[in-house]
Amino acid sequence: MRLAFILMVAFFALAPMAIYPVFLMNVMCFALFACAFNLLIGFGGLLSFGHAMFLGSGGYVAAHAAKVWGLTPELAILAGTAASLALGAATGMLAIRRQGIYFAMITLALAQMVFFIFLQAPFTGGEDGIQKVPRGHLFGLVDLNDLRAMYVLVFAIFIGGFGLIWRIVNSPFGQVLVAIRENEIRAVSLGYDTDRYKLLAYVLSAGIAGLAGAAKAIVFELASLTDAHWSMSGEAVLMTLVGGMGTLFGPVVGAAVIITMQNYLAHLGAWVTVVQGVIFVVCVLAFRRGVIGEIAHWLKKPL
């Protein structure tokens, strides 16, 4: 575990020397988004088809706060994260009343409602989104228009978010989540208020997803409907399953694979989706635990 973390940090710290930093920042934002989703499904056993609403909400609020309210980037990102936390609390109290596929369908329905609001609300810019979002100066001092400074900020956000998830998973709270995933009835018989634990996990996952969306909006100076569309929730599912559901590093690898494919196979147009589908089928058939899940199984160590 420690070696894997060191390798991940070393890769993202040194990769800008050989790889375009904006591409790497995109990977880190989506990796954090996938990790947030994995916290919910991989450790809590809750399949959400609506996680894009948190990514999109974080992005829209952060972009609006930076462009219209004139907040500094750190405050804009905090505002986006807080908005996703609040949305997670509001939608979570409705969604956790059901289990299994019913929970998934409720989250999808709620996400579609949020998407429609973003499409119609005046402050979002409709189909054009919020464009030309200023990156500003971090703490009023560091100019984020400098790619190196922007990269360091996104790197710090990613490592901080990943560290938070690691701490959650390895805490007594995380162990209760795993118990609920494995056998909720038994967890209830032991005296745990499972609804409260699931709601807290849902809200935490929403907040981390919103953090990823807010950082992405500042990086690309844009907040658009794409991040709130239902297909983005599907991307989170795909990244998690390809990398390894229920593993800490799986979503990071899955996000890197999917974003790399989208970036370097863009010339194929709509065929990118077909290629992704083929790779997904191969992973499901040959690597049922995902890339990291299979490696962890071979090594007999949790990753």
Side-chain angles (χ1 to χ4, degrees), residues 200-277:
L200 184 53
Y202 186 88
V203 173
L204 287 170
S205 179
I208 297 171
L211 175 62
K216 182 173 179 289
I218 299 299
V219 169
F220 291 97
E221 303 175 87
L222 171 71
S224 68
L225 286 171
T226 303
D227 289 344
H229 195 258
W230 65 267
S231 60
M232 188 58 69
S233 298
E235 294 282 342
V237 175
L238 186 60
M239 292 172 186
T240 302
L241 292 180
V242 168
M245 185 175 69
T247 64
L248 282 171
F249 297 94
V252 179
V253 173
V257 170
I258 299 302
I259 299 302
T260 300
M261 287 171 50
Q262 292 176 347
N263 186 71
Y264 290 101
L265 299 180
H267 63 280
L268 297 178
W271 282 96
V272 174
T273 306
V274 177
V275 175
Q276 284 183 343

Side-chain angles (χ1 to χ4, degrees), residues 34-295:
C35 286
F37 174 78
N38 183 55
L39 174 64
L40 192 63
I41 185 175
F43 296 96
L46 298 172
L47 173 59
S48 169
F49 282 150
H51 245 51
M53 62 178 160
F54 306 124
L55 183 75
S57 298
Y60 271 118
V61 173
H64 185 78
K67 184 175 182 179
V68 180
W69 297 343
L71 296 184
T72 54
E74 71 277 4
L75 293 179
I77 291 173
L78 286 175
T81 304
S84 293
L85 280 170
L87 182 62
T91 58
M93 286 188 288
L94 295 173
I96 64 165
R97 296 174 182 269
R98 292 295 179 264
Q99 298 177 351
I101 191 63
Y102 302 105
F103 173 86
M105 290 298 101
I106 289 174
T107 57
L108 177 60
L110 291 169
Q112 288 301 94
M113 291 172 58
V114 172
F115 175 83
F116 181 76
I117 291 172
F118 287 150
L119 179 63
Q120 299 295 327
F123 84 95
T124 63
E127 295 183 354
D128 295 327
I130 303 177
Q131 303 179 23
K132 297 182 180 179
V133 178
R135 287 182 177 175
H137 290 70
L138 186 66
F139 302 114
L141 300 173
V142 183
D143 186 3
L144 294 184
N145 290 304
D146 181 350
L147 268 185
R148 290 173 298 181
M150 188 74 249
Y151 186 87
V152 171
L153 174 62
V154 175
F155 178 66
I157 289 173
F158 169 68
I159 295 300
F162 185 89
L164 175 61
I165 292 173
W166 178 86
R167 186 68 190 90
I168 292 171
V169 169
N170 289 282
S171 68
F173 171 77
Q175 298 307 305
V176 174
L177 283 183
V178 173
I180 293 172
R181 179 195 67 190
E182 295 298 324
N183 193 324
E184 184 172 353
I185 295 176
R186 179 170 293 181
V188 171
S189 69
L190 292 173
Y192 292 107
D193 185 349
T194 57
D195 282 349
R196 184 164 62 89
Y197 279 91
K198 289 191 291 185
L199 176 60
L200 184 53
Y202 186 88
V203 173
L204 287 170
S205 179
I208 297 171
L211 175 62
K216 182 173 179 289
I218 299 299
V219 169
F220 291 97
E221 303 175 87
L222 171 71
S224 68
L225 286 171
T226 303
D227 289 344
H229 195 258
W230 65 267
S231 60
M232 188 58 69
S233 298
E235 294 282 342
V237 175
L238 186 60
M239 292 172 186
T240 302
L241 292 180
V242 168
M245 185 175 69
T247 64
L248 282 171
F249 297 94
V252 179
V253 173
V257 170
I258 299 302
I259 299 302
T260 300
M261 287 171 50
Q262 292 176 347
N263 186 71
Y264 290 101
L265 299 180
H267 63 280
L268 297 178
W271 282 96
V272 174
T273 306
V274 177
V275 175
Q276 284 183 343
V278 171
I279 290 178
F280 177 67
V281 171
V282 171
C283 284
V284 169
L285 294 177
F287 305 99
R288 301 189 70 117
R289 301 179 183 88
V291 176
I292 296 299
E294 289 293 340
I295 294 174

